[in-house]
Amino acid sequence: MTDPAATAPQTGPLVGAAPRQAALHPARAGELVRVVVLGHVDHGKSTLLGRLLHDTGNLPEGRLEQIRAVSARRGLDLEWAFALDALQAERDQGITIDAAHVWLRTPARSYAFIDAPGHEEFIRNMISGAARADAALLVVSAPEGIGAQTRQHAYLLRLLGVEQVAVVLTKMDLVDYREEVYRRLGTEIEAYLGALGIAPAGLVPVAAREGTHVVGRQGRGLGWYQGPTVLQLLAGLRPQLAPAAAPLRLPLQDVYRFDERRLLAGRIESGVLRVGDELVFSPWNKVGFVRSIERWGPREQQRPYAVAGESVAITLEQQLYVERGQIASHLVEAPVETDVFEATVFWLGHEPLPVGGELVLRLATQQVQARLAALHRLVDLEQRSERRAEAIGRHQIAEVTIRTRHPIAVDDHRRLPATGRFVLVQDGLIAGGGTVRLGAHPDLRPQLSGLKSTHITRTAGRVSRAERARRTGHYGRVLWFTGLSGAGKSTISIALERRLFDLGYLVYRLDGDNLRHGLSADLGFSVADRRAHVRRVGEVAKLLCDAGLVVIAALISPYAEDREHIRRSLREREFIEIFADCPLEVCEARDAKGLYRAARQGRLHGFTGIDAPYEPPRAPEIVLRTDQLSVEACVERIVEYLRGLEAAEIGR
Amino acid sequence: MQPPSEPQTAAVRALSHLELLESRAIYLIREARARLRPLAMLWSVGKDSTVLLWLVRKAFCGHVPFPLVHVDTSYKIPEMIAYRDRLVREWGLELIVAQNRQALAAGMDHTRGRVVCCHALKTEPFKQVVREHGWRGVLLGIRRDEEGTRAKERYFSPRDAEFGWVFREQPPEFWDQFYTDPPPGTHVRVHPLLDWTELDVWEYIERERIPIPELYFARDGRRYRSLGCAPCTGTVASQARTVREIIEELQASRQSERAGRAQDRESEDAFERLRAEGYM
């Protein structure tokens, strides 16, 4: 598999070049190459394919007669495209609406052809067809030349990651087989593709209706061309396999507990995984060792490793709480963790996507709320120039910055395509896609994994936690109140502080609103600022807890991820999440600060519960129905919990 | 994209064509279960959906974590039902049999028109059972190489509340991201075998030693290439008595797989109309 001619597309000019032998690629037995056929509408894609199937003996018995009959019924000569245009509407309108997949077997290998529609209206179908292709045949009609969709399709090929492209100039019979047309158009096409970074693997002039240069060389007019036929060109294309010689990426699809095993299921997108490997699960940064790779089936299929492209189920030595969306990798060359990155996106939605627009982003099996943070330029396919805009219109391509609500694990698309690309979902429908470019923003992994900077060394003091506890009579804790505005967090925390102090606790209260006057005076109420505020208060709480205090923190802290982050930064049983659970209607009716009214009237934006989300805790230590319990009852509930905890720890 | 690379370590072997197909089907099955609940699988008892069932067991390490549905027209070849009941017993499957008893009581059969009959005895009871259980996802074993409209299918293919297939409005599907948020009352058909060819199916049956109905093997010089209802499914001339012989015969054949299925031939777009109205 190392013939260099087959690996690297020919880079020199192809037009007028000496007849080149089709790159020989020793096909593996049973190998399949997926080839998408695309180009401008009506440039003859389906006709080329129909002819190719027929001339290689791949049309089923009786199919030719059927096509002849269907053609005759519509008053047409033999219409090769009917071999693929299976839908009634397609045959009646003479266009391809959706991509068909057809197979072609040759003695050496098989091909799956994807006949992509050329109509702009059906670009989503072209993308659906092309995204899985190993290679592309770009079809250009000789009489018409490069069309709008020729350009669009070629650009999308780059984004979709299809690198092998061969060009077929069709309908040469309609330009009297003139070599001059072939040369002129060929130069033009090569220039356009070259600017996109695509070096075409060949440029074949064909007259598909008569079959010239599809498989054979019949026909009179194209004698001046000695290069490969379409079929010969195909033989030089290679399947694109998921890269095994690359860093390991295993996005988790699911976690199963059908029996005593806890199975982590997913497909390896790159690299090799072995039993005994140490894995890190990003972006939560849990670490564990692979105990087994579980394969159900014949014994001979058991192997102690699994490679890129393989769907696996693994078990770990440790019981880790991991879930769908996380990406397992080795500890070295792990993916980047970030909540902001640069990307090239194409937009398929009916309505334009404005700057600031919110949608759902899916990358591998991760799903997260995201926002179009900035639009740097629109790609102009005709001029390839830059255009500034405030929104991405339907079928436009743009360079953008994307922000996600939570950090996600990503790779640069140029390095690892499968974990470096994403789709954008609006109202449950895929409305766009994009490729990730990293480098402009820092990797958050050191922060998220609690490692901070590699240049700062932690120094350990000589006073232990136990010694502090002996001095104060209790361990340090963080009692973290979360809940909607008006749920009673501040009221209860004030009463609780008094009560715990009276009981002899060394206690201190951090109030979210109060701290905004000092610690977070520089922060506003954007999503990023609110999260920064929570993180700061979390850090302060952690320090005070370390000092041996019982810390009461009362903040809305709407995002579960942020609270989880603080929990992870503390020891077990140090973080006590208290959910002040109160229905929105009750909070709104209380409205002590008049904030709900302001939000409803549109004077206050991004207010939790009204036009900003609140993510309730999944498993809080304490839930207080503050609409049903008195302040005193709430306080006693917490005191009881704290006493129970102390008793349990002393008893251990 | 990186050039296809051979694994660096000698001990590691790249995946074969069949392994890639298997792995992808498992990926799709697992996506369906992760994203579309409640989920069910349509099991026609033919070779394709039995291969699908096998893949489900692989995906979930021996378990079948959702019910199977068999639409029984009552005209199925009797051996199919015996085979079905045997596997249900041996593999411990949860099977739901759907049947349009009303239409059968009214005497529905292929003499009323094959397409009419298919719709009444297959599509209608299928609709009823999906509605009754409120499934948001249904796994099916259809393949693109079977027939022209199936060649244009998606892996995750939405059906509207009336079970219609709006082929003009198929959602985009790329980079293994799928349509998985069907509005209430609609469902998604999931097609993990879409990429497989008839030959792939047989080679996989051979590799995995999957039990299939005897009807597929030649008796007196004829065999079933595709299984359906007795009145509408013909046999093809064949000498193949083993899976290996079937594979060899197919490699030499140019006959369409559904050549024996009469309902496809009533008119130019008979099958398309059936499918647009909810057929598999």
Side-chain angles (χ1 to χ4, degrees):
Chain A
M1 317 239 324
T2 47
D3 177 9
T7 323
Q10 196 95 341
T11 41
L14 292 162
V15 177
R20 190 159 66 83
Q21 199 181 351
L24 289 176
H25 165 59
R28 290 194 311 188
E31 181 179 73
L32 178 78
V33 184
R34 290 173 207 283
V35 183
V36 62
V37 183
L38 32 72
H40 196 78
V41 63
D42 229 12
H43 278 204
K45 294 178 292 296
S46 301
T47 305
L48 173 71
L49 260 185
R51 188 80 215 201
L52 193 58
L53 289 178
H54 174 261
D55 292 4
T56 51
N58 273 279
L59 277 186
E61 233 166 69
R63 190 81 178 101
L64 184 62
E65 291 64 43
Q66 212 179 339
I67 298 167
R68 218 184 280 281
V70 172
S71 306
R73 227 173 286 154
R74 287 175 177 71
L76 299 167
D77 278 348
L78 186 58
E79 183 51 64
W80 290 104
F82 289 169
L84 293 115
D85 290 338
L87 304 174
Q88 190 77 356
E90 293 181 317
R91 288 186 298 260
D92 288 344
Q93 297 168 30
I95 55 164
T96 304
I97 291 174
D98 211 331
H101 294 238
V102 290
W103 280 258
L104 186 149
R105 271 191 276 152
T106 69
R109 46 147 64 157
S110 300
Y111 298 93
F113 284 103
I114 305 152
D115 179 29
H119 253 276
E120 161 140 45
E121 189 194 336
F122 305 123
I123 198 82
R124 65 180 188 282
N125 298 336
M126 172 266 165
I127 289 170
S128 305
R132 284 204 64 223
D134 301 304
L137 285 184
L138 186 62
V139 172
V140 181
S141 148
E144 288 159 79
I146 296 181
Q149 268 63 58
T150 316
R151 290 197 178 86
Q152 192 180 28
H153 288 185
Y155 199 99
L156 285 168
L157 279 180
R158 286 298 289 173
L159 279 183
L160 294 171
V162 183
E163 301 237 313
Q164 307 176 84
V165 180
V167 182
V168 182
L169 266 188
T170 54
K171 309 190 189 183
M172 284 301 291
D173 44 333
L174 299 186
V175 294
D176 301 326
Y177 309 99
R178 291 203 308 276
E179 187 177 1
E180 161 266 321
V181 177
Y182 168 76
R183 284 174 176 277
R184 179 171 49 76
L185 269 177
T187 309
E188 212 178 305
I189 294 165
E190 273 189 75
Y192 183 77
L193 294 180
L196 296 177
I198 298 172
L203 183 68
V204 195
V206 308
R209 275 183 201 284
E210 64 192 43
T212 308
H213 293 162
V214 176
V215 173
R217 293 188 184 274
Q218 63 268 38
R220 315 134 283 162
L222 294 173
W224 44 265
Y225 174 83
Q226 298 297 316
T229 63
V230 173
L231 186 65
Q232 284 171 331
L233 207 55
L234 289 170
L237 303 173
R238 314 165 51 107
Q240 289 198 327
L241 305 173
L248 172 68
R249 296 291 181 267
L250 168 60
L252 293 189
Q253 274 184 292
D254 220 331
V255 177
Y256 302 131
R257 289 218 72 158
F258 297 122
D259 41 45
E260 69 288 350
R261 295 169 298 177
R262 190 175 154 86
L263 299 166
L264 278 49
R267 184 175 60 193
I268 300 176
E269 299 296 346
S270 55
V272 179
L273 176 139
R274 293 168 201 279
V275 171
D277 279 359
E278 186 172 18
L279 302 180
V280 58
F281 295 83
S282 305
W284 288 15
N285 297 302
K286 297 259 168 64
V287 174
F289 288 89
V290 179
R291 180 202 296 249
S292 65
I293 299 171
E294 302 286 327
R295 287 183 172 92
W296 183 86
R299 192 171 294 278
E300 66 266 20
Q301 291 174 15
Q302 306 299 329
R303 290 185 301 279
Y305 65 85
V307 300
E310 204 169 340
S311 287
V312 294
I314 61 171
T315 63
L316 299 178
E317 296 288 354
Q318 295 82 355
Q319 287 277 357
L320 289 191
Y321 180 64
V322 291
E323 58 182 33
R324 177 179 166 91
Q326 298 183 38
I327 298 181
S329 70
H330 293 131
L331 271 54
V332 292
E333 298 194 286
V336 161
E337 294 174 350
T338 185
D339 56 5
V340 56
F341 54 83
E342 307 299 300
T344 305
V345 302
F346 50 90
W347 184 244
L348 303 170
H350 286 276
E351 299 300 320
L353 176 66
V355 175
E358 301 255 355
L359 20 69
V360 170
L361 179 145
R362 288 198 216 141
L363 186 150
T365 53
Q366 297 173 99
Q367 175 163 320
V368 65
Q369 282 287 328
R371 186 164 54 87
L372 180 63
L375 199 171
H376 306 302
R377 67 180 191 102
L378 286 179
V379 174
D380 184 332
L381 296 174
E382 303 293 323
Q383 308 295 325
R384 293 197 305 278
S385 67
E386 311 204 343
R387 273 201 287 151
R388 300 193 64 80
E390 289 305 309
I392 314 172
R394 185 167 166 80
H395 299 158
Q396 283 180 330
I397 298 167
E399 308 212 331
V400 304
T401 302
I402 294 208
R403 273 190 185 275
T404 56
R405 180 170 291 171
H406 312 299
I408 56 169
V410 297
D411 285 294
D412 191 291
H413 177 252
R414 291 161 294 192
R415 184 155 175 264
L416 290 175
T419 42
R421 60 197 181 197
F422 57 88
V423 297
L424 299 169
V425 180
Q426 209 176 36
D427 303 328
L429 288 173
I430 294 175
T435 56
V436 176
R437 219 164 35 255
L438 294 175
H441 304 278
D443 187 354
L444 298 180
R445 179 178 298 277
Q447 265 165 278
L448 295 173
S449 58
L451 292 172
K452 303 296 173 205
S453 164
T454 46
H455 302 295
I456 301 169
T457 317
R458 284 170 182 251
T459 52
R462 288 191 187 155
V463 182
S464 74
R465 182 171 177 252
E467 284 176 289
R468 289 186 207 279
R470 274 200 295 278
R471 172 81 46 94
T472 55
H474 57 82
Y475 286 108
R477 310 271 179 209
V478 175
L479 303 171
W480 190 279
F481 284 85
T482 174
L484 295 171
S485 177
K489 299 182 297 299
S490 292
T491 310
I492 299 168
S493 65
I494 289 166
L496 178 65
E497 185 185 26
R498 183 71 242 175
R499 175 90 170 109
L500 288 176
F501 186 81
D502 292 344
L503 286 169
Y505 281 85
L506 201 55
V507 58
Y508 189 72
R509 186 174 57 88
L510 299 172
D511 186 274
D513 285 352
N514 295 355
L515 292 169
R516 278 191 169 276
H517 296 293
L519 181 71
S520 297
D522 58 325
L523 297 177
F525 288 88
S526 69
V527 172
D529 279 4
R530 298 182 73 174
R531 299 189 62 183
H533 177 53
V534 171
R535 198 175 63 238
R536 282 183 197 177
V537 177
E539 276 299 314
V540 173
K542 184 184 159 195
L543 291 174
L544 294 178
C545 171
D546 236 25
L549 273 70
V550 170
V551 186
I552 302 168
L555 288 84
I556 297 173
S557 45
Y559 299 118
E561 172 80 20
D562 295 335
R563 300 189 302 264
E564 280 309 302
H565 180 73
I566 300 164
R567 180 191 292 278
R568 285 199 298 274
S569 73
L570 291 163
R571 292 182 187 84
E572 221 177 311
R573 290 185 292 275
E574 270 184 351
F575 184 80
I576 295 145
E577 193 173 24
I578 303 168
F579 180 27
D581 187 7
C582 185
L584 179 65
E585 309 81 66
V586 178
C587 293
E588 195 167 351
R590 290 176 182 164
D591 205 10
K593 301 170 192 163
L595 296 172
Y596 282 98
R597 197 167 355 106
R600 288 288 185 205
Q601 289 167 356
R603 288 181 285 122
L604 188 61
H605 295 288
F607 191 71
T608 302
I610 305 299
D611 58 349
Y614 176 77
E615 299 170 2
R618 248 178 292 187
E621 275 72 12
I622 302 172
V623 180
L624 303 173
R625 282 301 302 257
T626 59
D627 57 328
Q628 296 166 7
L629 294 174
S630 68
V631 174
E632 294 69 30
C634 291
V635 168
E636 284 319 304
R637 180 83 70 83
I638 298 163
V639 171
E640 283 307 306
Y641 186 88
L642 212 48
R643 281 181 171 149
L645 215 53
E646 296 287 338
E649 295 215 338
I650 291 161
R652 272 150 50 90
Chain B
M1 185 150 307
Q2 312 217 343
S5 48
E6 292 294 325
Q8 298 298 298
T9 322
V12 170
R13 173 174 70 69
L15 300 181
S16 68
H17 174 61
L18 279 185
E19 285 169 332
L20 283 169
L21 285 174
E22 174 192 72
S23 174
R24 181 168 178 77
I26 291 174
Y27 184 84
L28 294 164
I29 291 165
R30 287 176 173 169
E31 277 304 280
R33 178 149 190 284
R35 307 269 317 176
L36 296 168
R37 294 212 203 166
L39 179 71
M41 182 191 129
L42 190 65
W43 183 32
S44 76
V45 192
K47 64 185 189 318
D48 302 301
S49 59
T50 303
V51 162
L52 178 60
L53 175 55
W54 187 266
L55 288 161
V56 165
R57 298 172 86 205
K58 279 214 163 185
F60 305 116
C61 292
H63 299 266
V64 182
F66 38 73
L68 305 178
V69 183
H70 181 232
V71 178
D72 188 356
T73 60
S74 83
Y75 297 112
K76 296 286 171 192
I77 308 164
E79 283 98 319
M80 291 171 69
I81 303 299
Y83 163 84
R84 176 192 80 185
D85 294 342
R86 178 169 70 86
L87 283 202
V88 166
R89 233 178 12 254
E90 290 176 6
W91 291 358
L93 306 169
E94 181 191 346
L95 181 76
I96 297 170
V97 176
Q99 197 167 60
N100 189 346
R101 292 193 186 83
Q102 219 176 346
L104 284 171
M108 174 59 72
D109 68 13
H110 64 286
T111 59
R112 313 256 175 116
R114 295 184 202 277
V115 171
V116 172
C117 179
C118 264
H119 185 83
L121 296 187
K122 286 187 181 174
T123 311
E124 279 303 329
F126 181 50
K127 277 187 188 180
Q128 278 169 24
V129 75
V130 171
R131 283 198 181 122
E132 187 184 320
H133 292 266
W135 290 314
R136 297 178 70 229
V138 183
L139 292 162
L140 280 87
I142 67 162
R143 309 189 326 266
R144 279 185 175 130
D145 77 328
E146 284 178 277
E147 179 274 328
T149 65
R150 285 178 178 171
K152 297 187 181 246
E153 267 286 6
R154 296 286 196 260
Y155 300 105
F156 282 61
S157 183
R159 291 295 183 278
D160 64 24
E162 290 309 305
F163 283 54
W165 179 47
V166 190
F167 55 78
R168 284 195 83 98
E169 293 297 332
Q170 295 209 80
E173 180 174 81
F174 52 95
W175 295 340
D176 284 342
Q177 300 290 352
F178 308 102
Y179 176 87
T180 49
D181 298 302
T186 71
H187 72 282
V188 180
R189 303 235 175 127
V190 184
H191 303 133
L193 299 187
L194 213 50
D195 285 343
W196 296 47
T197 64
E198 186 185 14
L199 197 55
D200 293 329
V201 167
W202 281 108
E203 288 181 339
Y204 190 71
I205 289 171
E206 181 184 46
R207 177 188 127 121
E208 299 285 317
R209 302 189 282 274
I210 302 171
I212 51 151
E214 287 295 315
L215 295 163
Y216 285 110
F217 301 109
R219 261 179 284 186
D220 307 323
R222 298 197 74 80
R223 71 176 193 91
Y224 285 95
R225 195 165 159 191
S226 160
L227 293 185
C229 297
C232 295
T233 310
T235 53
V236 295
S238 167
Q239 300 302 324
R241 293 168 163 278
T242 64
V243 174
R244 178 85 315 241
E245 284 170 11
I246 290 175
I247 291 170
E248 281 159 14
E249 201 172 86
L250 285 177
Q251 280 167 337
S253 163
R254 277 185 60 203
Q255 226 182 38
S256 147
E257 181 182 3
R258 292 185 68 90
R261 302 292 282 262
Q263 72 264 43
D264 300 8
R265 290 199 300 272
E266 283 219 325
S267 69
E268 186 181 306
D269 63 344
F271 201 68
E272 177 181 338
R273 281 191 286 122
L274 259 178
R275 296 208 69 226
E277 287 164 15
Y279 190 78
M280 300 77 196

